[in-house]
Amino acid sequence: MRTPMIPDSDYERRITRLQEEMAKADLDVLVTYSSESEPASSRYLADFWPFFDFAGVVVPREGDAALITGGPESFEFARQFSRIKNIHIHPMFVETSAPDWVPPVQYEDFSSILKSVCPRPPRRIGVADWNIFPYAIFLDLQKAASGAEIVPADDVLLRVKAIKSPYEIAVIRKAYWITEQAMIDALNAVREGMAEWEIEAIAHTTMHRLGAEGTSYPIWVCSGPNTRQSLCRSTNRRIKRNELVQLTFGARYMGYCGNMCRPFAIGRVPEKARTLMSVALEAFEGALRDIRPGATAKQVFENYHKTLARYGFEEFTLYGPAHGTGSSEVEGLWLGKGSDLVIQPGMQFNIDIWLNDGEYGLRYEDGIVVTETGLEELTSYRREIIEL
């Protein structure tokens, strides 16, 4: 069952907080971009997830925010679901194979939209979702704000998203609970001879039955030689006894991403994989110990790296032991050696331990929320060497 747990006031708070961060960054307006596969910004600021068409949110330093989408279908869709009720239709936010609308649509470009949203012509514009912001739309924005400086601003939005509200945390708990139930059902149902995609289907069924609106990413199951892939797809390959299998699951609930990963074997785990699992679990427990309010990302990473180095595994990983998450499965806040982040209460992370020795790859991943005194674990089922 889905329960609407986040009130309008929480979305209003996000806009206000963003405007505070914009003032610190000397931005007059911030513009975001979202698609069906990358909906985080419009979902976070407006609770709107675009289908077919695209979406953007325009936030002035002072005043009310606006939502942009494309076409009459998305306009009506947004009128029902968006928490931001000031909605504009831009021709470049329409799907790539748009029809000739009947009757014709009244479009607006950024020249009109900025004038209606901003109290004065902007001098300095921030663009979030910089690495996916379409060039044609960027040119229209540039033309509309002739002479204005346009700069990347993902960091400005991330500073707002980094600290979760109590309403967000309640929804996040549900996303991880659904994810954990899918993991439990899959592990209980898996049998020798099942295809990878059949196990994935079990997880999908549980997630949707428990109210998930979809998955956090295209979830997968991989086995045997396929486990070497950090990113993979479920295939027709059938599970064999005494081989490594990796489950990588995440349920999306009300715009928030759950995630949980477990390696296992039916029968005995291969010895080399068992060694990898043991080190990964030690590294995981170290991250649970080290992630605390006031701790630095660099210190957490350093301790993680020392754990791997004791076994000669420091080159077997791709990144630090944890990353931020929320409306995107990966939402900045990497706990890496180059980060200046200081961990604060209200931050949410996935502890994400990926190791690959060239023959086997495996991942243990669980969600946590940082509290005033430590952390709350969101998933923990069978964080062990699993042999079925």
Side-chain angles (χ1 to χ4, degrees):
M1 178 179 176
R2 295 182 192 167
T3 305
M5 300 169 68
I6 302 180
D8 289 345
S9 59
D10 211 60
Y11 288 90
E12 293 164 3
R13 177 195 63 84
R14 298 173 193 186
I15 298 295
T16 300
R17 279 283 298 114
L18 180 55
Q19 289 172 325
E20 292 169 357
E21 293 296 336
M22 289 167 58
K24 294 176 185 176
D26 192 27
L27 296 178
D28 297 308
V29 64
L30 184 138
V31 183
T32 75
Y33 180 80
S34 294
S35 65
E36 186 173 338
S37 63
E38 293 280 357
S41 292
S42 66
R43 195 73 194 272
Y44 179 76
L45 293 172
D47 199 18
F48 181 66
W49 181 358
F51 298 166
F52 300 109
D53 296 330
F54 306 96
V57 179
V58 180
V59 182
R61 189 191 298 197
E62 301 171 0
D64 296 330
L67 178 74
I68 304 172
T69 191
E73 295 171 304
S74 287
F75 179 77
E76 294 301 326
F77 181 31
R79 286 181 64 187
Q80 180 176 353
F81 288 97
S82 174
R83 308 295 182 104
I84 294 174
K85 299 306 180 183
N86 180 11
I87 304 168
H88 301 258
I89 302 176
H90 190 299
M92 294 180 185
F93 284 75
V94 180
E95 62 180 299
T96 53
S97 298
D100 292 327
W101 304 109
V102 181
V105 177
Q106 185 65 45
Y107 288 120
E108 296 181 76
D109 60 15
F110 268 111
S111 177
S112 169
I113 294 169
L114 289 180
K115 286 178 182 176
S116 71
V117 175
C118 300
R120 60 191 66 86
R123 303 170 296 105
R124 190 169 150 85
I125 300 172
V127 170
D129 310 291
W130 180 267
N131 66 327
I132 63 169
F133 202 89
Y135 181 63
I137 295 177
F138 183 89
L139 289 179
D140 183 61
L141 178 62
Q142 193 175 51
K143 179 182 177 182
S146 179
E149 181 184 12
I150 302 178
V151 299
D154 287 285
D155 59 328
V156 178
L157 181 56
L158 180 59
R159 285 196 288 273
V160 180
K161 298 172 76 172
I163 306 298
K164 306 317 191 228
S165 74
Y167 294 110
E168 289 179 276
I169 291 172
V171 171
I172 288 163
R173 288 192 186 106
K174 185 69 175 284
Y176 280 84
W177 178 80
I178 293 171
T179 301
E180 191 166 54
Q181 298 311 303
M183 183 66 69
I184 292 169
D185 285 357
L187 286 171
N188 286 339
V190 67
R191 298 290 185 270
E192 183 181 0
M194 293 179 71
E196 292 173 350
W197 67 265
E198 291 179 294
I199 303 169
E200 178 189 325
I202 294 166
H204 274 284
T205 299
T206 296
M207 290 177 189
H208 285 289
R209 176 172 56 82
L210 295 178
E213 61 194 22
T215 57
S216 303
Y217 49 85
I219 66 173
W220 69 85
V221 177
C222 56
S223 61
N226 292 347
T227 64
R228 289 194 300 265
Q229 297 290 113
S230 175
L231 303 177
C232 202
R233 294 278 192 182
S234 302
T235 71
N236 286 325
R237 189 179 189 278
R238 298 196 173 274
I239 305 300
K240 301 175 182 177
R241 290 188 66 80
N242 305 322
E243 71 172 5
L244 189 66
V245 185
Q246 177 73 49
L247 305 182
T248 305
F249 297 159
R252 185 186 295 272
Y253 180 75
M254 294 183 64
Y256 286 84
C257 299
N259 198 18
M260 187 177 181
C261 301
R262 291 291 186 270
F264 73 95
I266 298 174
R268 289 283 294 174
V269 172
E271 235 12 78
K272 283 184 69 177
R274 179 181 293 272
T275 301
L276 275 183
M277 294 166 97
S278 296
V279 176
L281 288 167
E282 183 179 337
F284 199 108
E285 292 303 315
L288 280 176
R289 176 197 65 228
D290 294 338
I291 297 174
R292 290 290 186 274
T296 65
K298 288 179 181 178
Q299 187 61 58
V300 176
F301 176 83
E302 184 178 327
N303 290 344
Y304 170 63
H305 193 262
K306 286 178 180 176
T307 298
L308 299 187
R310 281 201 300 273
Y311 301 93
F313 286 6
E314 61 267 43
E315 299 299 321
F316 287 6
T317 193
L318 292 172
Y319 33 70
H323 59 78
T325 185
S327 52
S328 293
E329 196 279 319
V330 178
E331 191 178 85
L333 306 187
W334 283 97
L335 301 190
K337 63 181 178 180
S339 173
D340 294 324
L341 177 71
V342 177
I343 297 168
Q344 302 174 52
M347 289 182 172
Q348 184 204 352
F349 297 95
N350 281 339
I351 298 179
D352 178 2
I353 309 297
W354 161 257
L355 296 179
N356 180 358
D357 66 1
E359 181 178 359
Y360 297 105
L362 57 87
R363 188 188 306 272
Y364 287 93
E365 188 161 0
D366 286 303
I368 61 169
V369 171
V370 181
T371 67
E372 294 290 340
T373 57
L375 56 82
E376 173 188 346
E377 296 184 47
L378 299 170
T379 50
S380 60
Y381 180 74
R382 298 202 68 171
R383 192 187 301 136
E384 61 191 53
I385 296 175
I386 302 173
E387 294 177 318
L388 303 176

